[in-house]
Amino acid sequence: MSKLAIKGGPKVREKPFPSWPIWDESDCQALVDVCRSGQWWSVGGTKVKEFEEKFAEYCGCKVGVCVPNGTIALVVALKALGIGYADEVIVTPYTFIASASSVLQCNAIPIFVDIDPETYNIDPSKIEAAITEKTKAIMAVHIAGLPCDMDAITEIARKHNLKVIEDCAQAHAAEWKHRRVGSFGDAGAFSFQASKNLTSGEGGIVVTTDVEVGDRAWSIHNVGRVRDGAWYHHPVMGSNYRMTEFQAAILLNQMKKLDAETARRNENARYLTERLSKIDGIKPLKRDERVTTHAYHIYIFRYLAEETTGVPRSKFIEALNAEGIPCSSGYVPLYRSGMFDIDPDACPVGCPFYGKRIVYKDLYLENCERACEREAVWIMQSVLLGDRKDMDDIADAVEKVMSNLAELRE
Ligand SMILES: *Cc1c(COP(=O)(O)O)cnc(C)c1O
């Protein structure tokens, strides 16, 4: 008789895991309060302003500028740092599309550098080889909520006089050597989209320790006005990227739980890592000891049994899902997405001012390919908000599937 649930055996778990977002009456009240106040937009309001100050301070930054989403936060951060035509920005291919599409939206050129096979973050030892006379910035994407090696990245940037933008969309509250992400680079960008560890459905913020960069971001997000300038005075090229008071009211309320939720995820993830590390063919991603807080937007572990057993990751994931464990395979290499099948002779990549020719679809970055094709297994953040028994269910299910892989072979 089959043991695995996918073959008709009993499931490890019937109960659902915590859903997301987690909310209560106080969130509803926050919305009703803004509604009744009649102050729905940020100009003249208090909620966006209060959240910008609180969140910037939380990240160890001086300025925060709220925007409609994380993609726009990246665009505004890049523009505020002067990234534009024919500038190259070094970025990981193992991330959400916005990390690279934001660069193209500034008419700049994303240059992909492979990931570290053990952390899935950009491999700092491969960055210098990608630096050219056109390179203006490194984007450090803290993937899954695991901070990049910020010692190495800030050192390379200093040596080559490059800007650093941190994509912190998955890394609220994450710390590298007790310092929160967003404060290492020249600017940091966060997302508050529905899946993120702090959410208002949609939303984003640019944070920076540099007041001048903050002022430029503010101008870009407020149709090119300057702080304390006249209403119809638009000296800067910008757009309307303002957040509403409703979003900020929710964020202020949700933010009260961020530390407790982050601590819970860290505790559960450490326990899960302990258990999964003992299973043959399974390897959780490496957590550098300089990572003092991981945001665990995603808990990622590596499935390494494909070569030895012939059972592909897709089968393993289906079997785990059938046991009652929600998990998925995650990204494809960004340069393989349809949008990078772009005409190498058209702007911005084929811009005559750039003077080079890049064909993204010819790229093959080995570690990223392997992670995407064969290895990565993702468990989303809300699953880590349960208790230890939940973690035992996950580990028990992985153990069960791994010791019955033979059932999946035919
Ligand atoms: C979610 C995400 C973004 C974009 O944020 P949106 O608010 O969805 O626009 C950017 N980068 C990464 C790594 C993300 O996960």
Side-chain angles (χ1 to χ4, degrees):
M1 207 191 91
S2 300
K3 293 207 179 81
L4 296 178
I6 198 167
K7 298 284 181 185
K11 287 170 84 163
V12 168
R13 182 183 169 98
E14 302 282 347
K15 255 187 13 181
F17 285 91
S19 63
W20 188 257
I22 294 170
W23 57 276
D24 61 25
E25 276 311 305
S26 66
D27 296 290
C28 305
Q29 192 58 51
L31 285 178
V32 168
D33 289 347
V34 171
C35 191
R36 294 216 165 105
S37 75
Q39 177 66 48
W40 292 3
W41 71 326
S42 63
V43 179
T46 56
K47 299 293 181 195
V48 169
K49 188 165 180 292
E50 185 186 342
F51 180 73
E52 286 175 340
E53 286 168 8
K54 273 214 170 111
F55 196 78
E57 196 198 333
Y58 183 80
C59 299
C61 288
K62 289 203 179 110
V63 188
V65 176
C66 281
V67 293
N69 58 58
T71 305
I72 289 174
L74 285 168
V75 171
V76 171
L78 288 161
K79 289 191 172 171
L81 295 173
I83 310 294
Y85 290 101
D87 293 335
E88 291 177 352
V89 178
I90 289 173
V91 65
T92 172
Y94 192 80
T95 178
F96 182 62
I97 191 76
S99 308
S101 63
S102 58
V103 174
L104 285 168
Q105 275 171 13
C106 298
N107 289 309
I109 316 292
I111 299 293
F112 293 108
V113 167
D114 205 1
I115 57 173
D116 178 323
E118 306 225 293
T119 66
Y120 287 6
N121 271 329
I122 196 167
D123 183 346
S125 73
K126 296 193 169 139
I127 290 178
E128 278 193 294
I131 294 173
T132 72
E133 74 287 349
K134 302 274 189 195
T135 311
K136 286 287 159 57
I138 302 169
M139 186 184 290
V141 185
H142 308 299
I143 214 64
L146 176 75
C148 292
D149 180 342
M150 293 315 290
D151 289 0
I153 290 174
T154 49
E155 175 57 26
I156 295 165
R158 195 195 50 74
K159 188 170 148 201
H160 296 272
N161 195 24
L162 305 175
K163 305 286 186 196
V164 175
I165 297 113
E166 292 178 75
D167 180 343
C168 311
Q170 303 185 356
H172 315 72
E175 294 174 353
W176 176 258
K177 299 205 293 197
H178 298 287
R179 182 168 149 196
R180 291 216 170 97
V181 300
S183 65
F184 290 91
D186 297 277
F190 287 83
S191 164
F192 305 120
Q193 174 267 342
S195 73
K196 310 294 169 157
N197 295 13
L198 177 60
T199 181
S200 47
E202 301 280 5
I205 193 170
V206 179
V207 293
T208 174
T209 52
D210 183 332
V211 174
E212 277 176 36
V213 172
D215 283 346
R216 280 200 294 277
W218 189 91
S219 291
I220 293 164
H221 106 297
N222 199 3
V223 285
R225 297 185 174 108
V226 285
R227 290 192 201 267
D228 304 319
W231 187 248
Y232 290 120
H233 181 54
H234 306 271
V236 176
M237 176 70 191
S239 188
N240 178 354
Y241 293 141
R242 295 184 303 258
M243 177 187 268
T244 70
E245 292 283 276
F246 293 103
Q247 287 160 290
I250 286 279
L251 289 169
L252 281 165
N253 204 48
Q254 287 280 319
M255 195 178 159
K256 294 175 191 159
K257 301 182 301 182
L258 179 61
D259 284 337
E261 287 170 345
T262 305
R264 168 62 62 96
R265 283 189 206 99
N266 274 264
E267 191 191 322
N268 278 332
R270 278 187 189 278
Y271 178 71
L272 186 58
T273 296
E274 221 179 276
R275 286 214 46 195
L276 295 183
S277 303
K278 294 181 186 138
I279 304 174
D280 265 356
I282 295 295
K283 199 165 186 187
L285 288 185
K286 191 171 126 200
R287 176 173 167 161
D288 192 299
E289 56 190 32
R290 289 168 291 179
V291 173
T292 44
T293 303
H294 190 317
Y296 287 110
H297 176 60
I298 314 168
Y299 183 93
I300 304 181
F301 67 86
R302 299 163 70 197
Y303 170 76
L304 300 174
E306 181 167 326
E307 270 123 284
T308 48
T309 66
V311 177
R313 178 189 54 179
S314 56
K315 281 262 169 80
F316 168 77
I317 287 178
E318 278 172 33
L320 212 47
N321 287 156
E323 298 296 338
I325 310 302
C327 61
S328 57
S329 58
Y331 296 128
V332 296
L334 272 198
Y335 48 81
R336 239 178 255 312
S337 1
M339 70 154 282
F340 276 102
D341 190 6
I342 38 184
D343 183 353
D345 297 315
C347 279
V349 179
C351 173
F353 294 109
Y354 180 49
K356 297 196 204 174
R357 200 163 191 283
I358 296 188
V359 185
Y360 286 104
K361 60 179 177 156
D362 291 349
L363 277 174
Y364 186 92
L365 298 173
E366 203 183 333
N367 297 334
C368 179
E369 296 281 342
R370 190 165 356 93
C372 295
E373 279 282 312
R374 296 208 291 272
E375 278 187 12
V377 180
W378 285 19
I379 295 174
M380 296 308 292
Q381 56 97 1
S382 60
V383 173
L384 298 177
L385 289 174
D387 53 22
R388 178 155 292 198
K389 170 75 175 67
D390 293 345
M391 300 306 108
D392 279 324
D393 285 348
I394 297 171
D396 290 348
V398 173
E399 246 168 35
K400 180 182 168 191
V401 174
M402 291 304 283
S403 38
N404 292 284
L405 280 182
E407 283 189 22
L408 297 175
R409 208 174 286 132
E410 62 280 343

